[in-house]
Amino acid sequence: MLANAGLAQTPTPYTWWKPADSPFPVVDGQAWPGEMPDTLQRLPPRAKALVRKPVWDLSRQTAGLSIRFVSNAPEIIVRYQVTGNAALPHMPATGVSGVDLYGIDSDGSWHLASGKYSFKDTVQYTFAQLRPTDGYHKLGREYRLYLPLYNGVRNLEIGVPAGSSFTALPQRPEKPIVVYGTSIAQGACASRPGMAWPTILARKLDRPVINLGFSGNGRLEKEVVDLVNEIDAKLFVLDCLPNLIQTVVDRPELEKRIIDAVRTLRAKHPQTPILLTEHDGYTEGYLMPHRQPLFENANLDLREAFAKLKGENIQGIYLLPMSEIGMDLDCMVDGTHPNDLGMMRYANAYEKKIREILQQPLGTLTTQIPTRQNREPGSYNWEERHTEMLKLNQTEPTRIVFIGNSITHNWGGKPLNNRIAGAGSWDKYLDPLQVRNFGFGWDRVENVLWRVYNDELDDIAPEQIILNIGTNNLHLNTDDEIVQGLKHLIHAIRLRQPKARLTLLGIYPRREQETRVAGLNKGIQALARSENIGYQDVGKRLLLKTGKINEQLFSDGLHPNAAGYEVLGKELATVLKSKRAKE
């Protein structure tokens, strides 16, 4: 490249990373990571001998696969070769063979990066002039690179300018939603990988989604169902009707395959929800009425199969009807496959239904919408702490869960961390009561809601749950918004831990906001009373008689020092022991 006056400009040196460079699995959307550490595909290698060749060939296409990383680079280059010659006349090359790059800011909001691309022997995307960091820190942001929908990928490399940071992230730890479907699930005919409905759904729910959509070959075959059955899923979606009508199977066989698939999944996964999806129809039904009976009969067969399964007292099965998907003539490319608008209709319908099934409702306030955060990576890694919580829940029981923000996080206990400021009082007062520290620095009400929705209260049976959250919302939300967010959060906790005694703590006082905090705590106390749960204001012990904070008990006007934690520990232990005695 030549600069002004004909002088040669030195090319910017880049450092490059490949998935094979990682010592741990990095491909989200893969259900068998231990069996294919260096392979970008959807079924494990042993499946080649189990499934039909068309299914195996389609599984080598990377629909639904993504790679997460953190970088502060101002420019990111992605280059790779595709393994096939897929070119669909009704689908853009950017969807068939392209990639998508999304970034997440420190407050958990998603953003799309548009790249300049070149489709040659090596496909290359360049994402330039990126905003590399947010206002909280200079350590970069999380990115998600979505891979092609209808082609395989090899020799994938991600490059950043030398001197920029790049850290690959491991697979998400939460149980995934598993989708077994057709070309519509695989991604036809989205304009780019990020617009396939399973990928949109994964962003909306912020949960891993396994895309097992096989174009023209989603037929509820036993061999594939058996593979699906190996996955420890949060929820199974069976959306195969478009590939099961007319020429593939007759109507009795269609009903049989539906029933057999559900019975197979339920035998191994007695509690995992199963969602069955109706055929979404064809948009040209009025002018081409011969197609109308095809999907109508298929949906009738599905409903009859669903009724029979219900008659067998099979619990936890659900139906997504065609009417709730809501496709119309502007939603499809060819009368069958969705365009981007149609993909969004699918994703919205699935999100609504799955939130109902998993009991993860959204509110209208920011405090009622679950959100991740990454505001303090220099001090601790928010996602790593979340992962550690999930692991501890599976290995170590706990009697009391203490949910909070940095004030709780810094106190002590497990998971161990380098932020501890009150270990002495934790060890003296709380550890003997088997209290688990669920505090995360910088958390707001909506961040705790995300953690509750993403399995942190699963696999445990605590006797008590202590909740102290909201001080980090003070500069963003009104008192009523905080109270309403807490109400939404309380309901989410109760649904997951109905037997645990829940106690709401008043927000601890903080310098120059003592009066507001005192007023807000009256609202929190009234909320606790209306929800018939406990309330304690242990933080008032940190105040002087004047109503101002006792500076000798604080490190910075917000976080207690060791002496402050001593005061809180003694007071909280008295509360917890009193409640246990009453039980």
Side-chain angles (χ1 to χ4, degrees), residues 156-176:
L156 174 73
E157 294 182 297
I158 302 174
V160 298
S164 299
S165 66
F166 180 97
T167 303
L169 296 177
Q171 276 192 342
R172 291 278 298 273
E174 301 88 2
K175 292 182 180 181

Side-chain angles (χ1 to χ4, degrees), residues 407-422:
I407 300 173
T408 305
H409 187 168
N410 297 356
W411 200 333
K414 289 185 177 181
L416 300 176
N417 65 88
N418 61 358
R419 300 168 54 101
I420 301 302

Side-chain angles (χ1 to χ4, degrees), residues 72-121:
N72 63 2
E75 182 169 291
I76 297 171
I77 296 178
V78 180
R79 63 191 185 193
Y80 55 94
Q81 287 90 43
V82 295
T83 60
N85 297 312
L88 304 180
H90 59 332
M91 185 172 174
T94 50
V96 173
S97 301
V99 297
D100 255 343
L101 186 67
Y102 283 74
I104 306 175
D105 64 31
S106 295
D107 288 323
S109 297
W110 291 83
H111 306 274
L112 175 66
S114 59
K116 293 184 177 180
Y117 46 81
S118 172
F119 287 83
K120 297 180 180 178
D121 290 341

Side-chain angles (χ1 to χ4, degrees), residues 2 56 63 85 93 107 146 213 227 247 289 336 362 391 395 463 533 547:
L2 296 180
W56 171 250
N85 297 312
D107 288 323
Y146 296 107
L227 287 165
T247 59
T336 301
L362 295 179
K391 292 178 180 178
T395 58
E463 297 173 3
I533 63 175

Side-chain angles (χ1 to χ4, degrees), residues 404-412 419 437 439-441 468 471 508-509 554 558-560 565 568:
N405 48 46
S406 59
I407 300 173
T408 305
H409 187 168
N410 297 356
W411 200 333
R419 300 168 54 101
N437 188 331
F440 282 59
N468 174 244
T471 194
Y508 300 133
F554 287 83
L558 170 63
H559 298 92
Y565 280 120
L568 291 176

Side-chain angles (χ1 to χ4, degrees), residues 170-191:
Q171 276 192 342
R172 291 278 298 273
E174 301 88 2
K175 292 182 180 181
I177 293 168
V178 179
V179 178
Y180 178 22
T182 68
S183 56
I184 298 172
Q186 182 168 340
C189 292
S191 64

